[in-house]
Amino acid sequence: MATHARLAPRPAGAARARTWWGKAWVRAVEEAAYAEEDLVRGRRLARAGRVGGITVEPGRFVAAVEEGDDVLTVSGGLPELDPAGSAALTEVVAAESGRIAALLGGDLPHPLVEHAEESGVELLPFGGELATRCTCEPWADPCHHALAVLQQLTWLIEADPFVLLALRGVGRDDLLARLHALSEPADRGATDLDVAADAARRAGRLLELLDDPDASLDHLW
């Protein structure tokens, strides 16, 4: 079952993007727009607090937008990572111990994104990836209602980078489970090595006992 996150609307008049990844998201939104006028209308709706709570699930988001007496429903999403991409992202996060702590603390380290790109995993989107639909049935997407929601998502992604990962199909719990599973073989291997080393040590002491039958057995344990 998909994991849903109900996210509160952005406060009216809130500041624009502050983080480097928030600004990158804004650039993608601007690339996606067909006209500057649509961007301006979308910003006006977002800053006026006309975008309702946003529901995010793997690869998808949905929100309501009020304009005058109308309430429109906007949905959209990003292409999800395939299994190979999800595995590569997990490896990148696991490569440095501080990366998962940074994500949990609300930070998206630039080296993490760079190394993910080197592994063939694009986390931050370009304009053409931002697919949207709106019940206003526009002649082209994204309409200004969808642009309002996309701009609202900037604040949410800045506050919690896991929102971005969820839109790529990798939720917080999913990534944590993958990291745990990735660490298990190493832990198991270390245990096996410890057992083997202890067995070799005991075998060596038994050989000592064979050479000296009168020796004490205490030193074997």
Side-chain angles (χ1 to χ4, degrees), residues 5 57 63 80 181 203:
E57 59 186 48
E80 296 185 47

Side-chain angles (χ1 to χ4, degrees), residues 66-150:
E66 296 181 8
E67 186 176 39
D69 295 329
D70 297 325
V71 178
L72 297 308
T73 300
V74 173
S75 60
L78 292 176
E80 296 185 47
L81 299 180
D82 59 18
S86 297
L89 175 61
T90 304
E91 293 277 358
V92 169
V93 175
E96 291 188 12
S97 60
R99 287 180 174 174
I100 188 60
L103 288 171
L104 290 169
D107 185 25
L108 181 61
H110 200 280
L112 187 160
V113 176
E114 288 184 330
H115 294 163
E117 289 178 355
E118 292 170 2
S119 300
V121 176
E122 296 285 345
L123 291 179
L124 290 165
F126 57 87
E129 289 186 302
L130 297 173
T132 61
R133 296 182 63 184
C134 180
T135 52
C136 76
E137 299 182 355
W139 66 271
D141 288 320
C143 64
H144 65 284
H145 305 114
L147 288 168
V149 176
L150 289 171

Side-chain angles (χ1 to χ4, degrees), residues 26-87:
V26 169
R27 284 196 296 272
V29 174
E30 292 172 347
E31 290 173 2
Y34 281 89
E36 180 66 24
E37 179 184 354
D38 292 336
L39 275 172
V40 172
R41 294 176 69 186
R43 290 191 191 108
R44 189 178 298 124
L45 286 172
R47 292 176 180 175
R50 308 303 287 177
V51 177
I54 303 175
T55 298
V56 175
E57 59 186 48
R60 183 174 180 271
F61 65 84
V62 63
V65 179
E66 296 181 8
E67 186 176 39
D69 295 329
D70 297 325
V71 178
L72 297 308
T73 300
V74 173
S75 60
L78 292 176
E80 296 185 47
L81 299 180
D82 59 18
S86 297

